[in-house]
Amino acid sequence: TRCRRRAHHAAPMLDSLAVHCPYCGERFDALVDASAGDAAYVEDCPVCCRPLELRLQLDEAGQILALHATRDD
């Protein structure tokens, strides 16, 4: 039998950005994928475990402008 080769897909480029939790105030590094454009997603704070909404903003060239962390309540 022949083995099928898996297609190699490029892994997304992840950037590490520092944000402050709006609940506990602690700073932590969040991994973001800027390859898909502006994005919003929910991630738990690694310190207090409360859900945060992270909003990633990019410029026209795809460069990161900002990462905003807001309360998800």
Side-chain angles (χ1 to χ4, degrees):
T1 63
R2 287 188 184 185
C3 294
R4 279 189 183 182
R5 287 191 168 188
R6 291 186 182 191
H8 292 282
H9 298 285
M13 291 295 296
L14 297 178
D15 292 294
S16 179
L17 298 176
V19 293
H20 286 88
C21 174
Y23 293 103
C24 69
E26 291 293 324
R27 179 189 171 275
F28 68 94
D29 292 327
L31 291 177
V32 297
D33 177 8
S35 68
D38 289 350
Y41 56 96
V42 175
E43 182 174 316
D44 289 342
C45 172
V47 179
C48 71
C49 300
R50 305 221 26 210
L52 316 172
E53 181 179 353
L54 297 177
R55 288 180 292 115
L56 179 65
Q57 284 185 292
L58 306 177
D59 66 13
E60 297 82 26
Q63 299 297 312
I64 297 172
L65 293 174
L67 178 65
H68 302 282
T70 57
R71 294 170 68 118
D72 188 42
D73 57 2

